[in-house]
Amino acid sequence: MFTQRPIHPCPSPALISFSETWQLLGPYQIGTREATWGADPLERIGGFRSLVYNETARFPSSLAVNGTVGWSTLTADLSHSSCKNAKADLLVGFENTDWRSLQLVYGWAALQYQGWARGNVTVHGDQQKTIVLYTDQVLEFWIDDDNYFGGDLYAYRRAPLVLHLDPGHHQIDLRIVRDVRAMGGVGEPTVSIGLEAEVSEGGLKPVEGSILLPDVVEGKLVSSLGSVILRNEEGSWIDVLSLESVNVGFTVAMKDKPSFRLAPGQSRSLPFDITLCHSSAEEVSFEITYKLDHSPGVFRTTRARQSVQRQEADEPQKITYLHPGGVVSYATLRSPSEKATRYADPNTSFAVLIGLHGAGVKADSNLIRNSFRDVPDLKAWILFPSGVTSWSGDDWRKRTERNS
């Protein structure tokens, strides 16, 4: 039922691959932000996982022209796959639905929908493999008989699923959710799903691009905390024992002693103290020592590195601090300019202007850093907290009050 084909020639057979043909069922109506509560109409008949592809089967749906929907198929783009890394890009649109008419009646809410897609991932060879699975813009999915809720709907790619799969085909059922606030209400209401299965060699892995560092201003760090996200790709618990610099420009040291533990498959942010030793240093590089629970006498190491970002004293600066939840967070801060403070009384207090809601960009992005460029001499401290997400600030929800 599912088509598999080789993509690029490999020096050896591919270790893992996705199916090219995927089976779709939908769309079904769903309200804004209802996906996390369930609200799946197929659950009343045992769920999508209990259904078998049938071209003639019909299911009731309020979004369909005649009130019913059926199965269809979709071809995935597998062109970016390699020997040890399988990728499948699916563009889901349900073209048999009259979205324009629905939108004329219901507005942007008509462009929110849900559905399901089924394909498989194949582990080649004769041995079990550890697979790191990324599920961009997928909230819920099943792999064989196991349900995973809380995928990567906004494609942060910080905490993928770590699986240990036996050789052969493994069925994947994806719940498709289109959230119009996140994906827009202009143009065709499609959902771009990106699946990536990477064969892992096990051990402890620093997540690429996850190192958080303060800016360097006039040869000094503006704060003394950093962090790195680590992922346990083993089948047993891991204890992180120490961090040690491998270059002379910086020193780093763990904040949590005597050890930092990660469960199998867990991704977790490790806070550390950082000191700048040479003002001209351009890169932080350190070695992480750890051990596995099943091999307590064997010490292993892995390395991580990150370039530092330099700013002038009158430019917005990224400062790091310890979040109430125990992780290292950051904010972008712009101090009053020299002109704004030149004639001020030494005892004058300047206002603090805080950006409290996000706009879908990082708080240290150029868009945020330059957002007040047209008012360079504003008599205020301007602060953009990150909210521990890729959004540019905390909002009004209860969980972010303490951080603000």
Side-chain angles (χ1 to χ4, degrees), residues 4 15 47 70 96 110 114 166 192 218 260 264 283 308 352 386 396:
Q4 301 274 167
L15 300 180
N96 58 339
Q114 60 180 320
D166 292 327
S192 298
E218 295 184 348
F260 180 88
E283 183 181 81
V308 297
V352 177
S386 66
W396 56 84

Side-chain angles (χ1 to χ4, degrees), residues 66-347:
N66 63 356
T68 63
V69 295
W71 291 85
S72 60
T73 59
L74 176 70
T75 300
D77 178 6
L78 309 181
S79 61
H80 299 98
S81 299
S82 61
C83 300
K84 296 183 179 181
N85 187 288
K87 294 184 179 181
D89 295 317
L90 293 86
L91 183 63
V92 182
F94 296 108
E95 297 177 356
N96 58 339
T97 304
D98 189 352
W99 295 112
R100 179 172 175 78
S101 295
L102 290 171
Q103 190 174 14
L104 289 174
V105 177
Y106 299 108
W108 62 262
L111 305 183
Q112 287 203 164
Y113 61 80
Q114 60 180 320
W116 285 88
R118 175 176 293 158
N120 64 45
V121 60
T122 300
V123 177
H124 301 280
D126 56 4
Q127 295 182 341
Q128 184 186 80
K129 292 181 176 62
T130 298
I131 305 299
V132 179
L133 179 65
Y134 296 88
T135 54
D136 296 355
Q137 296 200 338
V138 177
L139 175 69
E140 179 184 6
F141 54 98
W142 289 73
I143 298 180
D144 295 331
D145 296 323
D146 295 321
N147 179 224
Y148 300 92
F149 193 95
D152 197 2
L153 185 62
Y154 299 107
Y156 289 142
R157 300 179 68 86
R158 292 299 180 90
L161 183 65
V162 179
L163 300 165
H164 305 281
L165 297 180
D166 292 327
H169 300 299
H170 299 271
Q171 180 173 295
I172 303 179
D173 290 349
L174 306 174
R175 185 182 179 195
I176 303 161
V177 176
R178 188 178 195 279
D179 188 301
V180 73
R181 290 192 62 184
M183 302 175 186
V186 179
E188 292 297 318
T190 56
V191 180
S192 298
I193 293 174
L195 301 179
E196 181 177 353
E198 179 182 279
V199 178
S200 168
E201 297 179 358
L204 182 71
K205 184 173 181 179
V207 175
E208 184 177 354
S210 72
I211 298 179
L212 174 61
L213 299 172
D215 285 344
V216 175
V217 177
E218 295 184 348
K220 297 180 181 179
L221 285 169
V222 296
S223 53
S224 61
L225 288 173
S227 67
V228 58
I229 297 177
L230 303 176
R231 182 169 62 244
N232 181 354
E233 298 184 3
E234 288 287 338
S236 67
W237 284 76
I238 281 179
D239 285 307
V240 178
L241 303 176
S242 66
L243 302 183
E244 184 176 350
S245 298
V246 295
N247 60 4
V248 296
F250 294 86
T251 60
V252 296
M254 286 176 56
K255 284 196 68 66
D256 292 343
K257 294 290 185 71
S259 67
F260 180 88
R261 286 175 63 78
L262 293 95
Q266 183 182 15
S267 297
R268 187 180 174 192
S269 179
L270 172 66
F272 56 80
D273 294 307
I274 180 169
T275 304
L276 177 61
C277 302
H278 297 280
S279 60
S280 61
E282 297 291 338
E283 183 181 81
V284 177
S285 179
F286 51 89
E287 189 171 75
I288 305 163
T289 302
Y290 66 97
K291 65 177 181 178
L292 308 181
D293 260 11
H294 63 71
S295 304
V298 179
F299 299 100
R300 307 184 183 194
T301 60
T302 186
R303 289 191 175 187
R305 64 181 186 180
Q306 175 71 41
S307 298
V308 297
Q309 190 164 357
R310 295 180 176 274
Q311 304 293 342
E312 298 297 328
D314 59 349
E315 293 178 323
Q317 306 157 15
K318 180 164 69 176
I319 58 172
T320 54
Y321 60 94
L322 199 62
H323 185 274
V327 299
V328 175
S329 187
Y330 76 94
T332 298
L333 176 68
R334 195 188 82 169
S335 60
S337 68
E338 181 183 357
K339 183 177 179 181
T341 60
R342 186 178 302 161
Y343 303 111
D345 186 279
N347 296 321

